Amino acid sequence: MNEIDFADRIAKASDLLAGARSVVVLSGAGISAESGVPTYRGAGAEPWDGLRAEQWATPEGYARDRQRVWKWYSDRRVQLGSIRPNAGHDALARLQRHLLKTGGKFTLATQNIDGLHQAAGCQNVLELHGSLLKVRCSRCSYRLTVGYEPMEEIPSCPDCGRPLRPAVVWFGETLPQDAWQAAVEAAQNCDLFMSVGTSATVYPAAGLVELAVASGARSIEVNLEPTPASGLVDIALHGQAGDVLTRMVGRRTG
Ligand code: BJW
Ligand code: ZN
């Protein structure tokens, strides 16, 4: 697509955004790619030890080699300490401030575990797949925020003695119910649903766009490449999230 067509689509998306009072954004790894965080699939993907996420991001993967998986999470946590939010995160934070200031509603549900939306100033982020900056007990309800600190050894739970684990959601595990219910409710009741930087392949999060569209919302996709959601949405914008969101939100907030 040439730049004029693309600019025209961005203008149409901006108009949809300008007419919306209640906006839901579902973000994925692609929005953090421009900050240097590897994606899981598609452009920018970096398999870990040659393995796809479906192979290591499981409770069985952790049970198989706890120390190795723990260290890998610890290394990722430390790397995050020097990673900053990018123009895409900033644009969504501006959009949230603008909508809230003008009496609108804004919900950001993220599949990301990197905390970069919050670092950009977004409030009330729904973390559907947990957080890399927290650990939890593998049995009881004990949780701890550890930030960017390295943790080479696996600590035992102070309450029950079981090994702690990263507070992320692995395949086959249910999503944090409060965040998931809030995301479902917001998707069912929004005017505009935006899917940003996600391959739209991991459920139930990927189902939010289907839910929003079925509930009557207008919809926009922003992603480097087409996804299974592209055919569902009103406007699919295939480009860098930082650039596209800055152009869309910049027009809206002035
Ligand atoms: C850019 C860009 C730039 C690059 N600008 N774009 C068969 C059918 C349907 C479902 C299932 C099934 N078999 C099993 C399931 C269920 C399973 C699932 O969906 N599997 C699929 C693989 C088929 N799901 C689960 O098990 C989930 N739990 C569950 O279902 O419980 C039951 C339940 C049911 C109903 C209600 C409640 C519960 C749990 C899923 C957990 C996912 N966990 C991970 C790991 C997190 C921890 C960690 O990182 O260590 O979460 S996997 C990984 O994938 C991570 C991500 O959040 C998730 C999604 O990835 P995301 O964000 O979309 O990123 P990518 O990399 O896939 O895509 C990035 C995109 O960006 C690409 O398209 C690029 O082109 C683009 N991009 N640069 C814009 N600059
Ligand atoms: Zn415990």
Side-chain angles (χ1 to χ4, degrees):
M1 186 185 310
N2 69 40
E3 182 54 30
I4 294 170
D5 288 346
F6 194 59
D8 189 45
R9 291 162 79 88
I10 291 185
K12 287 199 169 83
S14 288
D15 290 345
L16 271 191
L17 190 53
R21 300 310 302 146
S22 175
V23 176
V24 175
V25 175
L26 171 69
S27 70
I31 195 167
S32 296
E34 290 158 63
S35 292
V37 181
T39 62
Y40 302 87
R41 307 167 192 83
E46 252 178 43
W48 177 54
D49 257 11
L51 299 176
R52 288 180 295 114
E54 290 76 359
Q55 293 167 289
W56 54 257
T58 62
E60 296 75 28
Y62 191 48
R64 231 178 358 251
D65 195 345
R66 233 182 243 146
Q67 189 54 51
R68 191 150 151 265
V69 174
W70 177 269
K71 174 158 180 356
W72 184 68
Y73 276 92
S74 174
D75 292 347
R76 285 167 83 194
R77 188 179 299 127
V78 172
Q79 281 163 16
L80 262 188
S82 56
I83 285 179
R84 297 286 159 257
N86 63 57
H89 300 104
D90 290 343
L92 292 180
R94 277 204 311 284
L95 176 62
Q96 179 179 52
R97 282 196 294 275
H98 174 79
L99 275 167
L100 297 186
K101 214 163 51 188
T102 53
K105 277 191 179 173
F106 178 86
T107 304
L108 177 57
T110 188
Q111 299 168 85
N112 299 345
I113 60 171
D114 56 30
L116 290 174
H117 286 299
Q118 293 91 330
C122 249
Q123 311 282 321
N124 303 319
V125 178
L126 303 174
E127 293 185 310
L128 301 181
H129 292 164
S131 172
L132 183 55
L133 306 178
K134 295 178 185 146
V135 295
R136 68 173 176 90
C137 178
S138 39
R139 190 175 70 172
C140 75
S141 59
Y142 178 80
R143 295 175 76 81
L144 179 68
T145 298
V146 291
Y148 306 112
E149 286 308 303
M151 291 178 92
E152 293 294 321
E153 299 305 320
I154 306 175
S156 298
C157 173
D159 292 346
C160 77
R162 287 294 175 96
L164 298 187
R165 53 162 281 180
V168 301
V169 181
W170 285 321
F171 283 111
E173 296 183 322
T174 53
L175 276 54
Q177 285 308 296
D178 290 357
W180 175 243
Q181 282 312 324
V184 167
E185 202 167 299
Q188 282 171 328
N189 293 295
C190 65
D191 306 327
L192 178 66
F193 187 96
M194 287 170 53
S195 172
V196 179
T198 173
S199 61
T201 51
V202 174
Y203 281 79
L208 289 172
V209 60
E210 297 156 27
L211 187 62
V213 168
S215 307
R218 307 303 298 272
S219 51
I220 298 171
E221 174 181 69
V222 179
N223 201 61
L224 212 48
E225 56 202 349
T227 76
S230 306
L232 275 180
V233 295
D234 293 304
I235 304 178
L237 296 165
H238 296 135
Q240 302 263 358
D243 172 49
V244 175
L245 291 175
T246 302
R247 287 161 75 178
M248 274 178 66
V249 174
R251 280 167 58 96
R252 176 148 166 74
T253 55

